[in-house]
């Protein structure tokens, strides 16, 4: 069996900083670099993004369109920008240098981009450089860290690559695109599970290889850095959702507050009362099961000063159970909730405990319920509203992490780790509070503030455009159904009016839409490294997890608490609360 691999995370020893503070700094550095996208400079645009694949050579692309190959039929030429329609029907835009008069609408166009290999190598080199600087600050053995990180990067990225294989990751809609008869529909996040499994195998059966990566096996550093970066993406979603669907936002906020005041207390009680877990184990377990999986478990562990193994073990369980939920819940929603589509979306957000898992489940549910409603009742719901509801609810849950970490830090100082007669000390609360949460809140707040003015315009405008589009479809349907000349003339006049209104609204949204596009580009570039750090976290979780020690610590009992809590009441309470707040609220129809 492999030796237990642990690290000093307090900042004592050879280093001058703790992993907590280092994660805050590294996350903010990557976030800051990504913001250059607002100036049109994609400093991280070469970052490698993995997509669902059948052909391995097409699996990885650079995240920014400026570094991607653009090919297809030219549909529009606007100055130096050429818009093309690709083979898959989607549009893409490329900026060309020099004379564009040689190009015409209807021609075939191709602009070569960065190769997959170069994108991945640059991603590795940047991650190695920034994490090696972190290793220096921590006082780590730098040569051993670089060797360990290199091995961990390529092994874990291999898992990420395999996790995106179409037969594993493709949704029902994507199976048609790839021309395959079936898929497990696990989404690309199944790569996290593969990374965890590979890490466990190496950590327990190949001690020599595990020892080579020992210096770089720092799951908490990776996940905390990733959480800081994650705040930016949530900030954009928050700004957009506030403008787009305030009703859903309000209901989602009410739902998560009510749900988690119930969830956390019940899970904590079960763990303490019936499974005899200590507070150190029960609090991260309750947060991981009830709030937001890995992120919440890590934040809670930091707030109560739990040993690193505690949130690591909880995180391992989260990934496994998310995969199970993604397979089961969307299909239950299809059969039993197709008449209440937004209830189904909120349920995915409340029940599935990872960001990607919840949003992917919302997207699968969106497709399944829209198809079911059309087949069973002839109702054609607008695409995306179920997914948006799941995303909105999940976003509020993520925001809740920072609040909960502060509350737990206070409670542990004031009530748990306090001597008789001792008063709570503000300095001790600050000492306990997980500093990386500050970075998470900061990146979130900055993107909300930056995007809010544009989102405030886009929200009502997009709602108006959706209504105009529905009117257009309705008029066109009537035109196809009549041969009366007078009626056709009147309908044509109505259609011209609707099209003119669409053009007016489109012009009004041109500038804010472009601004939000830059914000999303910045967020997506940072998100490449958020995903990478999450991946490294799961791989190194496996690497540091000794089966024998895990069983001694009570892994079997942890799984039992998780299973009983999740399938015994969390899923069903989440369904009830989703029904309570979203019953009768329908997406627009087309």
């Amino acid at each position: 069996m492999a030796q237990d691999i642990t690290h000093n995370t307090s900042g004592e020893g050879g280093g001058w900083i703790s992993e907590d503070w280092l994660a805050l700094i590294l996350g903010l550095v990557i976030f800051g670099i990504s913001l250059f996208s607002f100036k049109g400079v994609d400093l991280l645009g070469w970052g490698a993004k993995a997509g669902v694949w059948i052909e391995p050579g097409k699996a990885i692309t650079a995240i920014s369109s400026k570094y991607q190959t653009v090919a297809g039929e030219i549909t529009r030429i606007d100055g130096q920008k050429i818009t093309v329609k690709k083979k898959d029907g989607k549009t893409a835009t490329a900026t060309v240098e020099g004379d564009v008069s040689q190009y015409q609408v209807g021609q075939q166009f191709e602009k070569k981009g960065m190769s997959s290999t170069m994108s991945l190598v640059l991603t590795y080199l940047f991650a190695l450089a920034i994490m090696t600087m972190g290793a220096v600050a921590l006082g780590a053995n730098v040569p051993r860290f670089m060797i360990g990180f290199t091995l961990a990067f390529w092994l874990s990225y291999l898992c990420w690559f395999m996790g995106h294989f179409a037969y594993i990751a493709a949704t029902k809609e994507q199976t048609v695109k790839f021309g395959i008869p079936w898929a497990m529909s696990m989404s690309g996040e199944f790569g996290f599970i593969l990374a965890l499994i590979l890490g466990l195998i190496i950590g327990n059966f190949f001690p020599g290889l595990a020892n080579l990566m020992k210096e770089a096996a720092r799951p908490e550093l990776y996940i905390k850095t990733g959480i800081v970066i994650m705040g930016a993406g949530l900030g954009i979603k928050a700004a957009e959702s506030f403008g787009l669907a305030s009703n859903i936002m309000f209901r989602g906020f009410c739902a998560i507050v009510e749900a988690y005041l119930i969830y956390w207390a019940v899970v904590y009680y079960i763990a303490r009362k019936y499974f005899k877990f200590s507070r150190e184990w029960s609090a991260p377990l309750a947060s991981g099961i009830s709030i937001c999986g890995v992120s919440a478990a890590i934040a809670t562990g930091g707030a109560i000063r739990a040993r690193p193994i505690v949130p690591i073990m909880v995180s391992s369980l989260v990934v496994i159970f998310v995969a199970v939920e993604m397979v089961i819940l969307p299909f239950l929603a299809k059969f039993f909730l197709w008449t209440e589509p937004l209830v189904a979306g909120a349920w995915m957000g409340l029940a599935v405990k990872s960001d990607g898992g919840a949003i992917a489940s919302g997207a699968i549910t969106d497709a399944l319920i829209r198809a079911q409603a059309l087949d069973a009742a002839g109702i054609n719901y607008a695409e995306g509203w179920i997914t948006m509801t799941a995303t909105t609810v999940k976003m509020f849950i993520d925001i809740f992490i920072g609040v909960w970490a502060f509350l737990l830090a206070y409670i542990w100082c004031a009530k748990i780790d306090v001597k008789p007669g001792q008063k709570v000390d503000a300095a001790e609360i600050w000492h306990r509070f997980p500093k990386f949460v500050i970075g998470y809140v900061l990146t979130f707040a900055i993107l909300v503030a930056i995007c809010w003015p544009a989102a405030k315009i886009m929200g009502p405008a997009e709602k108006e455009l959706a209504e105009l589009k529905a009117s257009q479809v309705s008029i066109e349907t009537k035109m196809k159904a009549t041969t009366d000349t007078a009626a056709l003339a009147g309908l044509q006049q109505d259609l011209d009016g609707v099209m003119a209104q669409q053009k007016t609204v489109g012009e009004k949204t041109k500038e804010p839409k472009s601004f939000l596009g830059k914000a999303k580009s910045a967020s997506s570039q940072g998100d490449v490294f958020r995903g990478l750090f999450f991946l490294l976290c799961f791989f190194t979780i496996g690497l540091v997890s000794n089966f024998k020690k895990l069983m001694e610590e009570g892994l079997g009992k942890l799984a039992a608490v998780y299973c009983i809590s999740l399938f015994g009441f969390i899923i069903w309470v989440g369904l009830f609360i989703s029904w309570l707040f979203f019953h009768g609220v329908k997406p627009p129809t087309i």
Side-chain angles (χ1 to χ4, degrees), residues 77-82 94-103 109 111:
I77 300 174
D78 184 10
Q80 301 300 119
K81 292 184 178 180
I82 294 179
T95 301
V96 297
E97 302 292 337
D99 184 19
V100 296
S101 61
Q102 59 180 308
Y103 301 110
F109 172 86
K111 179 187 176 185

Side-chain angles (χ1 to χ4, degrees), residues 150-166:
T150 298
L151 288 169
F153 177 94
W154 291 108
L155 287 171
S156 58
Y157 209 92
L158 175 62
C159 296
W160 191 239
F161 174 78
M162 293 306 301
H164 282 77
F165 183 44

Side-chain angles (χ1 to χ4, degrees), residues 133-386:
M133 288 188 282
V136 172
L138 289 172
N141 183 318
V142 174
R144 287 184 63 84
F145 178 88
M146 294 178 71
I147 293 169
F149 184 86
T150 298
L151 288 169
F153 177 94
W154 291 108
L155 287 171
S156 58
Y157 209 92
L158 175 62
C159 296
W160 191 239
F161 174 78
M162 293 306 301
H164 282 77
F165 183 44
Y167 281 95
I168 293 174
T171 62
K172 187 177 180 180
E173 289 181 335
Q174 288 174 320
T175 57
V176 177
K177 171 187 170 184
F178 288 106
I180 57 178
W182 62 272
M184 294 168 64
S185 297
M186 289 290 190
S187 87
E189 287 200 341
F190 191 75
F192 290 143
I193 299 173
L194 295 179
L196 175 65
I197 292 170
L198 181 59
L200 284 168
I201 292 170
I202 293 173
N204 285 272
F205 302 108
F206 298 91
L209 182 56
N211 191 56
L212 273 177
M213 291 183 275
K214 176 180 178 180
E215 198 67 33
R218 301 173 181 270
E220 285 197 272
L221 174 60
Y222 299 131
I223 193 69
K224 290 174 180 179
T225 305
I227 291 171
V228 172
I229 300 169
M230 184 176 74
L234 292 172
I236 296 173
K237 291 175 184 175
E240 287 185 314
S241 296
F242 270 107
L244 180 62
S246 57
N247 186 29
I248 290 177
M249 291 290 289
F250 175 73
R251 290 169 187 267
F253 175 73
C254 293
I256 72 106
V257 170
E258 185 160 336
Y260 289 100
L261 289 178
I262 298 170
Y263 281 177
W264 199 93
V266 175
V267 177
Y268 183 84
Y269 178 79
I270 289 173
R272 293 280 289 150
K273 175 74 174 179
Y274 297 104
F275 288 86
K276 309 303 181 185
F277 278 110
S278 66
R279 293 187 178 95
E280 180 193 34
W281 282 100
S282 299
L285 184 59
S287 293
I289 297 175
S290 67
I291 299 177
C292 184
V294 175
S295 304
I298 295 291
T300 298
I304 69 169
R305 308 298 294 276
R307 291 169 296 155
I309 192 174
V310 177
I312 284 173
M313 287 178 63
V314 173
S315 299
S316 304
L317 291 173
V318 168
V319 178
I320 295 167
F321 278 98
V322 162
V324 175
E325 288 181 281
M326 286 177 64
V327 173
I328 297 173
L329 297 189
F331 293 95
L332 287 177
K334 173 190 175 181
F335 288 109
F336 299 107
L337 292 174
W338 67 269
T339 59
E340 291 291 345
L342 296 193
V343 172
W347 190 33
M348 296 304 114
L350 283 172
V352 183
K353 299 303 170 187
S354 80
D355 289 318
I359 295 166
S361 296
I364 295 168
T365 304
D366 196 310
L368 292 174
I369 284 184
R370 283 188 296 106
Q372 179 73 8
L374 189 60
D375 291 343
I379 301 171
N380 191 6
Y381 286 122
E383 182 180 358
W385 283 77
I386 298 171

